[in-house]
Amino acid sequence: MISRNVILRDQKEVMEFVDTVERYPYAVEVSLGRETMDAKSVLGMLALGFNRVMNLNIQADDAEDLLEAVSRFLCTQFGQAV
């Protein structure tokens, strides 16, 4: 499993993120505290809210293609761009 931090700042970014993740065959989840959502679900992702550092979990050993595609959403634990 691959884990990274992501931050989605508004509804437009959520839509772009989900649209990007949907194009890949990996099982992808985003967690915030106790809440875990399917990263391919627009409603689930919107329910997590905005401007929060969330944990992206990709169920794969190698998903560099997906990580590159979502690289603009990746951040550090404190919300800084990677």
Side-chain angles (χ1 to χ4, degrees):
M1 179 169 69
I2 300 168
S3 293
R4 297 287 189 278
N5 289 325
V6 295
I7 189 165
L8 305 171
R9 304 211 182 269
D10 56 32
Q11 183 177 349
K12 181 181 175 191
E13 284 195 1
V14 170
M15 299 299 287
E16 290 172 7
F17 179 81
V18 171
D19 199 39
T20 301
V21 172
E22 284 181 325
R23 291 182 273 172
Y24 293 86
Y26 313 111
V28 184
E29 297 176 335
V30 174
S31 301
L32 180 64
R34 292 183 173 186
E35 299 292 322
T36 299
M37 298 293 173
D38 181 350
K40 297 180 182 184
S41 166
V42 173
L43 291 177
M45 293 300 297
L46 288 171
L48 291 177
F50 311 117
N51 285 322
R52 296 174 164 180
V53 176
M54 299 177 280
N55 192 332
L56 170 69
N57 295 307
I58 305 167
Q59 301 298 321
D61 292 326
D62 180 31
E64 289 301 317
D65 53 345
L66 174 56
L67 289 173
E68 181 156 338
V70 299
S71 63
R72 72 185 212 101
F73 305 110
L74 298 179
C75 66
T76 65
Q77 176 180 343
F78 304 106
Q80 304 295 324
V82 175

